Amino acid sequence: MTASIPAWAAPSAKAPLVPHPITRREPGPRDVQIEILFCGVCHSDIHMARNEWADSMPSVFPMVPGHEIVGRVTRVGADVSKFAVGDTAGVGCFVDSCHECEPCLRHHEQFCQKVAAFTYNGTEMDRKTPTYGGYSTQIVVTERYALKVPPGLELAAAAPLLCAGITTYSPLKHWKCSPDTRVGIVGLGGLGHVAVKLAASMGAEVTMLSTSRGKEADAKKLGAHAFELTSDPKNLKKLAGRFDLLVDTISVEHDLNLYLGLLKPEGAMVCLGVPPKPAPVAVMSLIYGNKTLAGSMIGGIAETQEMLDYCASKKIGADIEIIPIEKINEAYERMLKSDVRYRFVIDIASLKGT
Ligand code: NAP
Ligand code: ZN
Ligand code: ZN
């Protein structure tokens, strides 16, 4: 174990985050030790810090959230070949998996049959050692689960790509987003704004579907060709049967049937947001038009690297507001009011001395 390092944790589901020093392991032969420079704030951090997914993924406290991590390699184990000291590196939503089950062999490590070692609110594959996320100054990861951050990406703006980027890139690729696709992105937050940039970069015709009128100008700057206010039922009516693909990033309960009505026959709606409560789906919303209701969860390591390289080639980063760690509880409250443009990123230097 290394000496204790600064971190911030949620002590319980109802308490604000506070300083909570942690220890990390000494790097083993295949490990890299990363000094964390920036960590994005994902809405999943809020769901988990507040135990909102208690039924499917109960929270374990104290919890150090954060899975949008970018930093600099400070030590490497004897057998490490992918990284050298001084390289930049990223860590996303998981830090290990079994390497041998079918999903792992198919590069879908996030669906490891033994359950991946998620970056926080989980355990290492020994199933004993708790994992702690990126609201901390340092992390130790097996090199295979660390990503190369290509030159050309600004580090703070690259951090959110490690979750928001791969979560939106993967379904856009899977559902063959192209110049022939009419895509609707539902919800303009952390995931939504990256989804707009990515879908536009793939040549699709992109419509932003949002509850916040004040975000219209931004949506267009991000690359959306149209903006529709979803809080106005007249707008939804007019959009019936319009989209090939809908990417739903809403974090709270909402009527899926309403959005399914906006798909063309054979269209697909991919759910990325994870509202805490189950949503009723009327089968008629699906069968009338042979529609698909799908989900998508982050992406494997190879696809995450592909996404980072793609973003570097297209100069796509997140639009961010950098905050010191002392503002984290306020940032959570602002995200709950859809008041973030469009991702908070913690400057990890602010943890030193806390
Ligand atoms: P976020 O930045 O808070 O954005 C969520 C957006 O949802 C808001 O900006 C808002 O957009 C919209 N929204 C909020 N309240 C709404 C309401 N009452 N009705 C309609 N729309 C509403 O969150 P995020 O970090 O992008 O995460 C979004 C969701 O994806 C969360 O549930 C998160 O846990 C989940 N997630 C899933 C994965 C995955 O692998 N599937 C990965 C990461 C995150 P407008 O202001 O434009 O309406
Ligand atoms: Zn996330
Ligand atoms: Zn596995």
Side-chain angles (χ1 to χ4, degrees), residues 304-318:
T304 305
Q305 190 63 59
E306 177 188 308
M307 174 277 307
L308 286 171
D309 296 343
Y310 177 85
C311 287
S313 75
K314 299 279 182 182
K315 307 222 172 315
I316 293 176

Side-chain angles (χ1 to χ4, degrees), residues 220-232:
K220 303 257 172 81
K221 270 191 236 144
L222 293 165
H225 306 96
F227 177 94
E228 298 292 348
L229 200 61
T230 48
S231 40
D232 182 347

